């Protein structure tokens, strides 16, 4: 009898039998408690966010105006604005996105599709990437100063140098999430393509990558979110705090919103604190807009297998 | 959309390329016949001097809109490092250049400089409004703060001093203010008791002292000025009676010994080769008092102003 | 019908032939080279980090005031005092305590959110909540730090929980670090769970399991590889976090295990000293590199252990 009963040997079968008995009611109770627990846990994160945003918004909102967005920093709080910081941040994000998407996805593809995991050097690459994710961003600042601003690349204190340094900070995140996204696609999808005569790259490009876009988009969102708020590496790389002009090219000096926020927060004058709060609100709005693009991509391609 | 990834990337690349083809990056210096300068000026260094440098830069750029001036806050040490590597034209400093560590680097890279005092600064000793201490001598401060101090209650410092459990706040051990205070009061840079609460941000120290009923701390004068109604100011007796820090007493030196000069170091090469840098430095000295007032920093005295003007090569 | 099935059998190559052909194409070889180079960049980055750290670290240890023994075993860290001491243990302890507090907060919150969004939430809710959480990931850490110091410590820890904490304390730092990494853990774990094939769930429902049982006993183990990746990513971020701990946890290196008092982490030391007025080239400044190098080695070990764990428990589904 048990040979014919397919569920007999699995742990689920035991539960199935239990639910049919008097234990059914207690399982139902546990189910409800579980959902309640999940809702509580989910809400806590959202509540903290709400507290943070409300606290900041109250201070910052009144200060946001067209003038604020189109003025440059100033020693006079009434005149100060964030135009150069805002444009600088947008430039940096453009550089970061342009670098991490191809580089991150390419590395993830290499590790998932082309690398022989038994070879020791591929394992080194893997461990290395996860390690890089833990390196404090200020160490990347040191690296950026030594090799990108000075040293072999010698780009100087420019937007490109700042963008490249920030890209290094978030690259590991993109790689790890892209790998997980690629890994999560059932192998049958790719194997089907190969069986129909595709080359490996065709199978990847036409089937595997589109299927992993949602996960990759998550990684890119998380990375840009992180990069947009990074202060320490930019200071080391030479981003200034007072810049009264917009970047004129990749090789221009620049400033960024988190630098401006940090500078204003540390000023003794009370009015600058309110300006800092306003700048934070603007930063979050930019973040929402950046995220919206990536989220649209993700929702469009989200599939359940 | 059939090729979404490519489309997005191409779009991005095009948008990027269009904005990247911007105008000149302002590295070539020049001076119009009409007097308006242009070119880039890189200033970096102490965050204490930063508000002053920013006020001056803003004013200068207002008069010379084609100049691209940037001011950074990497700290006095970070500023000197970049300055001696030839990457900045002017560096802000809350202390003189270090003879042992920094001067050799400048010499190695052939960076010669001119040192200009641009403002003054004072360190105020404050306590929580509930802890009413009126005045402390430098001896008492040393007894409280030195590295071997065992003082656990303020009343141990002397008769008439209010009692309270010692709870101290001060700038981080890496800051110039810390160096200056420990050297001036305790005799050696870095000589301090271990059980105080440090913070990088003087605003945070203000909050710390405000929130602790027996809190006592030291930080830059401008941070006291902006929070004067929430803190109790302690006068310092440097040997000639109790003096409270103020613009006047810091300037004329009567608030001693906790007054210090603030500097800007200018690269001689930049002074000679970049007219915009020369113009900026002259502007700074000419407007030093006004810039300091905007930045809420203690300005130079007339005598110090004359000395600063004398240091510079002719306009 | 018969004719077409015969022709399929004749034409269809063996699997080996297909894969071989698929990889021999010259374009394929080129792509392989390009991708390998991309992966190589990450190695370059590490080499760069090591190069920029090792030089100064060696110089640090060559200084007379410093010995490797004191560095590793000493329990006082006062590198910028007039009589400096260079024992790194307080910093390592601070880092570990705060990271553990952070993970203790972030793992339940993050995984709970992930399970809810992936298994329970209606599509609309998921599409709103997930981006909202990712917004949390974008708040600059400076803001979190000040939030911890000016709101969390006095109002939540002090008034609400009634704890006797000092202005700077490790508990606030740790909890807020945890909140900061919740979106990382939640998002990545949720993606992993969403990707579990629906067939597995349906099979479980088919034998009468409740949704809770499906979530915890089918989906969770199936997505374990992604979940562990999410946690390791979060842990890495917690260990490397600078601004929050610098502002809220204080800068007093201590070997006390009490989280209600101030403590300093390795990153806080690097952040504070790196931006400060210390002359570059002094022993105090070189200490930054030594601490950075130690941090790097520590995270390498943690990650090596985690990868081994993942490899053993990963399940491949089809």
């Amino acid at each position: 009898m048990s040979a014919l009963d397919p569920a007999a040997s699995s742990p689920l079968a035991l539960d199935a039998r239990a639910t049919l008995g008097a234990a059914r009611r207690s399982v139902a109770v546990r189910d409800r408690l579980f959902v309640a627990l999940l809702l509580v846990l989910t809400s806590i994160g959202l509540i903290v966010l709400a507290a943070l945003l409300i606290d900041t918004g109250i201070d910052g909102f009144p200060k946001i105006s067209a003038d604020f967005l189109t003025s440059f920093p100033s020693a006079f709080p009434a005149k100060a604005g964030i135009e150069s910081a805002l444009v600088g941040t947008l430039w940096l994000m453009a550089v970061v996105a342009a670098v991490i998407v191809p580089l991150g996805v390419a590395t993830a593809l290499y590790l998932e599709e082309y690398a022989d995991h038994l070879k020791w050097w591929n394992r080194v690459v893997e461990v290395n990437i996860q390690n890089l994710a833990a390196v404090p961003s200020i160490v990347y600042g040191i690296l950026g100063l030594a090799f990108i601003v000075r040293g072999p690349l010698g780009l100087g204190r420019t937007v490109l140098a700042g963008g490249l340094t920030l890209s290094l900070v978030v690259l590991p995140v993109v790689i790890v999430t892209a790998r997980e996204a690629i890994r999560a696609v059932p192998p049958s999808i790719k194997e089907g393509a190969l069986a129909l005569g595709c080359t490996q790259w065709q199978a990847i490009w036409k089937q595997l990558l589109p299927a992993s876009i949602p996960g990759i988009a998550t990684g890119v969102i998380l990375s840009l979110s992180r990069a947009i708020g990074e202060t320490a590496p930019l200071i080391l790389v030479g981003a200034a705090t007072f810049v009264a002009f917009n970047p004129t090219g990749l090789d221009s000096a620049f400033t960024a919103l988190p630098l401006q926020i940090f500078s204003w927060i540390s000023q003794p004058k009370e009015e600058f604190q309110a300006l800092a709060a306003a700048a934070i609100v603007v930063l979050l709005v930019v973040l929402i807009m950046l995220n919206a693009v990536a989220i649209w991509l993700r929702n469009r391609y989200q599939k359940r297998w | 959309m059939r090729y979404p990834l490519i489309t997005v990337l191409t779009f991005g690349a095009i948008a990027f390329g269009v904005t990247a083809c911007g105008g000149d990056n302002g590295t070539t210096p020049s001076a119009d016949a009409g007097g308006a300068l242009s070119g880039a000026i890189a200033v970096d260094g102490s965050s204490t001097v930063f508000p002053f440098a920013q006020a001056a830069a803003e004013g200068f750029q207002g008069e010379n809109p084609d100049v691209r001036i940037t001011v950074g806050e990497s700290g006095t040490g970070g500023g000197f490092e970049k300055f001696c590597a030839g990457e900045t034209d002017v560096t802000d400093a809350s202390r003189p250049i270090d003879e042992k560590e920094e001067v050799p680097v400048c010499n190695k890279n052939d960076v010669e400089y001119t040192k200009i005092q641009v403002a003054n600064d004072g360190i105020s000793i404050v306590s929580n409004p509930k802890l009413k201490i009126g005045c402390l001598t430098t001896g008492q401060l040393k007894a409280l703060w030195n590295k071997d101090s065992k003082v656990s209650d303020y009343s141990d410092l002397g008769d008439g001093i209010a009692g309270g459990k010692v709870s101290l706040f001060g700038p981080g051990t890496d800051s110039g203010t810390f160096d200056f205070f420990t050297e001036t009061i305790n005799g050696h840079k870095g000589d301090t008791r271990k059980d105080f609460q440090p913070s990088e941000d003087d605003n945070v120290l203000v909050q710390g002292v405000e929130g602790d009923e027996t809190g006592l701390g030291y930080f830059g004068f401008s941070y006291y000025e902006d929070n004067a109604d929430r803190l109790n100011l302690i006068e310092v007796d440097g040997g000639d009676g109790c003096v409270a820090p103020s613009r006047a007493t810091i300037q004329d030196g009567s608030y001693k010994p906790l007054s210090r000069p603030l500097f800007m170091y200018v690269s001689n090469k930049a002074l000679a080769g970049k007219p915009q840098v020369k113009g900026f430095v002259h502007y700074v000295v000419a407007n030093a008092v006004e810039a300091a007032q905007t930045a809420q920093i203690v300005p130079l005295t007339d005598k110090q102003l004359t000395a600063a003007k004398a240091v510079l090569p002719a306009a | 019908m018969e004719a077409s099935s015969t022709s399929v059998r004749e034409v269809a190559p063996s699997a080996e032939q297909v894969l071989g052909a698929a990889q021999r194409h010259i374009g394929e070889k080129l792509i392989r080279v390009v991708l390998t180079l991309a992966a190589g960049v990450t190695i370059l980055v590490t080499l760069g980090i090591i190069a920029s750290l090792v030089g100064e670290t060696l110089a640090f240890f060559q200084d007379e005031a410093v010995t490797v023994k004191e560095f590793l075993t000493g329990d006082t860290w006062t590198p910028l005092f007039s009589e400096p001491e260079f024992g790194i243990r307080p910093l390592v302890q601070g880092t570990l305590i705060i990271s553990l507090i952070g993970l203790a907060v972030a793992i339940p919150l993050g995984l709970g959110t992930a399970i809810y969004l992936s298994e329970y939430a209606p599509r609309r809710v998921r599409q709103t909540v997930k981006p909202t959480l990712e917004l949390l990931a974008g708040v600059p850490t400076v803001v979190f730090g000040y939030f911890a110091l000016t709101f969390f410590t006095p109002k939540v820890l002090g008034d609400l929980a009634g704890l006797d904490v000092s202005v700077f304390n490790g508990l606030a730092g740790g909890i807020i670090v945890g909140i900061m990494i919740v979106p990382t853990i939640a998002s990545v774990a949720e993606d992993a769970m969403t990707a579990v094939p629906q067939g597995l769930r349906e099979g479980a429902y088919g034998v009468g399991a409740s949704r809770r049982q499906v979530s915890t006993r089918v989906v969770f183990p199936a997505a374990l590889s992604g979940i562990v990746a999410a946690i390791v990513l979060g842990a890495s971020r917690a260990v490397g976090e600078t601004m929050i701990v610098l502002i809220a946890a204080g800068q007093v290196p201590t070997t006390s295990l009490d989280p209600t008092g101030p403590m300093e982490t390795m990153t806080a030391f690097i952040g504070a000293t790196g931006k400060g007025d210390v002359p570059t080239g002094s022993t105090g400044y070189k200490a930054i590199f030594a601490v950075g190098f130690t941090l790097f080695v520590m995270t390498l070990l943690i990650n090596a252990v985690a990868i081994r764990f993942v490899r053993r428990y990963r399940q491949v589904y089809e």
Side-chain angles (χ1 to χ4, degrees):
Chain A
M1 228 28 196
S2 55
L4 291 172
D5 179 359
S9 51
S10 80
L12 286 174
L14 296 165
D15 273 11
R17 272 188 235 136
T19 59
L20 294 170
R24 179 184 293 181
R25 229 174 289 141
S26 75
V27 168
V29 164
R30 269 187 276 158
D31 286 348
R32 294 238 177 84
L33 283 177
F34 187 66
V35 180
L37 177 66
L38 290 183
L39 281 171
V40 165
L41 291 175
T42 309
S43 327
I44 292 181
L46 295 172
I47 289 174
V48 174
L49 175 64
L52 194 72
L53 291 180
I54 292 172
D55 199 31
T56 314
I58 290 178
D59 291 331
F61 242 88
K63 290 278 183 213
I64 298 183
S65 63
D67 281 338
F68 181 66
L69 292 174
T70 54
S71 312
F72 291 111
S74 161
F76 301 94
K79 286 202 283 180
I82 51 167
E83 181 176 338
S84 47
L86 181 59
V87 175
T89 293
L90 291 175
W91 273 83
L92 285 175
M93 288 306 106
V95 173
V96 172
V99 170
I100 62 176
V101 173
L103 200 53
V105 173
T107 308
L109 278 177
Y110 170 75
L111 286 172
E112 286 301 309
E113 296 296 315
Y114 288 85
D116 181 356
H117 286 283
L118 297 174
K119 297 267 166 60
W120 66 270
W121 57 79
N122 286 318
R123 288 223 279 270
V124 167
V125 171
E126 277 188 20
V127 175
N128 183 43
I129 290 170
Q130 277 187 270
N131 200 45
L132 286 177
V135 173
S137 51
I138 204 169
V139 173
Y140 283 108
I142 297 176
L143 173 69
L145 184 66
F147 290 101
I148 301 181
V149 174
R150 302 172 181 165
L153 285 178
L155 293 173
R157 297 141 61 101
T158 59
V159 174
L160 189 56
L164 285 178
T165 308
L166 285 181
S167 306
L168 290 182
V169 175
V170 297
L171 187 62
V173 177
V174 179
I175 297 177
V176 168
T177 44
R179 280 192 76 189
E180 287 302 321
I182 293 170
R183 213 185 266 184
V185 177
S188 61
I189 303 292
K190 194 187 88 181
E191 282 162 10
L194 289 175
L196 290 172
C198 288
T199 64
Q200 189 171 12
W201 179 247
Q202 282 172 328
I204 290 175
W205 185 247
K206 293 200 189 256
Q207 289 297 330
L208 191 59
L209 269 187
S212 37
I213 283 183
I216 294 177
T218 302
V220 173
I221 294 172
L222 285 175
S223 305
L224 287 178
S225 306
R226 170 120 185 246
I228 210 173
E230 283 292 340
T231 323
L234 289 180
I235 295 181
L236 280 177
V237 155
T241 320
F242 174 77
V243 175
F245 53 90
N246 291 329
T248 51
L250 281 177
D251 55 353
S252 156
F254 68 103
T255 184
L257 278 173
L259 285 169
Q260 200 60 246
I261 293 170
F262 190 50
S263 172
W264 278 339
I265 271 182
S266 321
Q267 295 295 317
K269 280 193 216 165
E270 191 95 29
E271 299 93 338
F272 280 121
Q273 308 286 327
L275 287 179
I280 293 169
V281 175
V282 171
L283 183 84
L284 292 176
V285 169
V286 171
L287 192 62
I288 292 175
M289 295 199 301
L290 279 176
N291 280 3
V293 172
I295 289 168
W296 171 81
L297 265 178
R298 179 171 67 197
N299 285 339
R300 191 135 188 270
Y301 289 90
Q302 187 87 63
K303 276 190 245 226
R304 292 221 177 214
W305 299 108
Chain B
M1 220 182 356
R2 286 207 63 187
Y3 300 104
L5 200 62
I6 293 185
T7 316
V8 170
L9 287 177
T10 316
F11 242 120
I14 292 176
F16 199 41
V18 164
T19 44
C21 296
D24 79 285
N25 54 22
T27 48
T28 40
S30 59
D32 276 0
L37 300 162
S38 69
I41 307 178
V43 184
D44 201 337
S46 159
S47 44
T48 311
V49 184
F50 173 77
F52 173 86
Q54 184 187 240
E58 192 184 338
F60 183 66
Q61 185 147 352
E63 286 184 12
N64 300 279
D66 289 329
V67 171
R68 298 216 172 290
I69 183 167
T70 61
V71 184
E73 281 188 275
S74 309
T76 306
F80 274 126
E81 200 230 351
K82 297 186 166 97
F83 183 70
C84 289
E87 292 170 5
T88 55
D89 305 307
V90 180
T91 195
D92 306 325
S94 56
R95 58 163 169 82
I97 190 171
D98 187 293
E99 295 290 327
K100 226 173 49 159
E101 309 281 356
E102 291 164 342
V103 171
V105 182
C106 267
N107 289 342
K108 196 168 72 154
N109 294 323
D110 281 329
V111 174
E112 289 178 354
Y113 47 82
T114 306
K115 168 176 158 188
I116 311 168
Q117 182 183 353
V118 292
N120 293 300
D121 186 28
I123 298 185
S124 41
I125 315 285
V126 302
S127 68
N128 186 289
K130 293 214 171 98
L131 181 66
K132 297 198 189 318
I133 300 178
C135 177
L136 287 173
T137 67
T138 47
Q140 286 169 325
L141 279 173
K142 181 169 177 179
L144 180 60
W145 279 96
N146 81 80
K147 65 177 172 13
D148 300 315
S149 170
K150 299 271 183 292
V151 174
S152 58
D153 191 301
Y154 298 112
S155 49
D156 293 342
L157 290 173
D159 301 330
I161 309 267
K165 180 160 162 269
V166 163
S167 172
L168 300 175
F169 298 82
T173 54
D174 56 277
S175 87
T177 314
F178 169 81
D179 284 342
F180 178 67
F181 182 83
T182 50
E183 191 168 17
T184 315
I185 296 290
N186 297 331
H188 291 288
K189 231 199 287 197
D191 180 331
T192 177
R193 65 192 288 164
K194 293 199 187 124
D195 58 342
F196 73 100
Q197 310 234 34
S199 170
E200 284 313 294
D201 183 349
D202 289 356
N203 278 327
V204 169
L205 291 177
V206 170
Q207 272 181 313
V209 172
E210 225 190 317
D212 188 328
E213 284 186 356
T214 60
L216 183 149
Y218 68 90
F219 38 75
F221 177 62
S222 44
Y223 288 89
Y224 162 72
E225 262 193 318
D226 271 316
N227 297 289
D229 50 343
R230 302 186 295 182
L231 296 168
N232 171 49
L233 182 65
I234 299 178
E235 298 183 0
V236 175
D237 180 351
D240 295 330
C242 292
V243 182
S246 72
R247 295 267 164 99
T249 57
I250 292 175
Q251 268 187 331
D252 63 23
S254 53
Y255 179 68
K256 55 179 189 187
L258 292 173
S259 308
R260 60 173 173 172
L262 298 178
F263 304 103
M264 272 189 176
Y265 285 73
V266 191
S267 145
N268 290 349
K269 215 184 289 185
L271 265 181
K274 294 193 194 173
Q276 71 270 30
V277 173
K278 195 159 155 206
F280 174 64
V281 177
H282 279 279
Y283 179 88
V284 165
V285 175
N287 297 282
V289 176
E290 204 187 307
Q293 278 164 345
T294 309
Q296 275 196 297
I297 284 185
V298 179
L300 295 173
T301 61
D302 291 330
K303 203 165 92 175
Q304 291 166 334
L305 199 54
T306 321
K309 285 190 178 138
V311 168
L312 288 180
Chain C
M1 225 31 204
E2 246 179 13
S4 47
S5 56
T6 322
S7 57
V8 163
R9 242 180 284 129
E10 281 168 355
V11 165
S14 73
E16 200 184 10
Q17 281 179 308
V18 168
L19 266 117
Q23 293 201 336
R24 255 182 276 125
H25 195 268
I26 186 74
E28 296 290 310
K29 285 228 171 77
L30 194 65
I31 288 181
R32 193 198 181 98
V33 167
V34 168
L35 295 183
T36 314
L37 285 177
V41 167
T42 54
I43 300 284
L44 265 183
V45 171
T46 306
L47 290 177
I49 293 178
I50 294 181
S52 44
L53 290 178
V54 159
E56 296 281 350
T57 307
L58 286 176
F60 172 73
F61 283 115
Q62 272 163 4
D63 207 21
E64 322 135 346
V66 186
T67 64
V68 177
K69 181 153 174 275
E70 188 203 351
F71 187 72
L72 293 175
T73 60
D75 61 0
T76 316
W77 179 261
T78 53
L80 299 168
F81 280 13
S82 54
E83 286 174 10
E85 291 191 63
F86 296 98
I88 201 175
R89 234 181 39 177
L91 293 184
V92 173
Q93 207 168 296
T95 302
L96 287 177
I97 292 178
I98 288 186
S99 304
L100 285 173
I101 296 178
L103 284 175
V105 167
I107 291 179
L109 290 186
L111 292 184
T113 309
I115 297 177
Y116 176 71
L117 287 180
S118 142
E119 303 300 312
Y120 283 83
R123 196 162 157 252
R124 279 276 164 76
V125 171
R126 181 170 182 262
Q127 282 184 343
T128 331
V129 171
K130 196 165 155 114
T132 313
L133 272 182
E134 277 155 6
L135 193 66
L136 197 67
V139 176
T141 49
V142 174
V143 177
F144 270 119
Y146 279 98
F147 178 70
L149 183 71
T150 59
F151 183 82
F152 195 75
T153 298
K155 301 261 160 50
V156 177
L157 290 182
D159 295 338
L160 216 66
L163 293 170
D164 179 26
V165 289
S166 47
V167 175
F168 304 113
N169 62 86
L171 192 60
I175 293 178
I176 297 295
V177 166
I179 301 275
M180 179 202 61
I181 62 180
V182 163
T184 306
I185 294 184
S187 248
V188 178
E190 193 257 334
D191 277 339
M193 286 188 226
T194 309
V196 171
Q198 195 66 359
L200 251 69
R201 290 189 190 84
E202 282 160 9
Y205 285 129
V207 293
S210 74
R211 196 178 271 205
R212 169 182 63 90
Q213 288 161 333
V214 169
S215 314
T216 53
R217 299 210 195 192
V218 177
V219 177
F220 195 88
L224 197 60
S225 144
I227 291 173
V228 171
I231 294 178
V232 172
L233 207 58
S236 299
R237 183 103 194 257
V239 166
E241 174 50 42
T242 312
M243 297 312 288
I244 299 181
V245 290
L246 182 57
I247 296 171
Q251 284 169 248
V252 182
T254 170
T255 48
S256 147
L257 292 174
D258 178 15
T260 62
M263 48 181 66
E264 189 173 34
T265 63
M266 295 192 273
T267 48
F269 171 73
I270 295 176
T273 316
K275 291 195 294 111
D277 295 334
V278 179
T280 52
S282 65
T283 315
Y285 190 76
K286 285 188 234 174
I288 295 177
F289 296 86
V291 173
F293 192 64
T294 312
L295 190 63
F296 189 69
V297 168
M298 237 177 78
T299 55
L300 190 70
L301 291 172
I302 296 176
N303 278 297
V305 168
I307 284 192
R308 194 157 271 179
F309 177 82
V310 170
R311 182 153 289 133
R312 201 182 292 184
Y313 288 101
R314 193 187 136 200
Q315 290 173 305
V316 183
Y317 277 94
E318 184 49 279

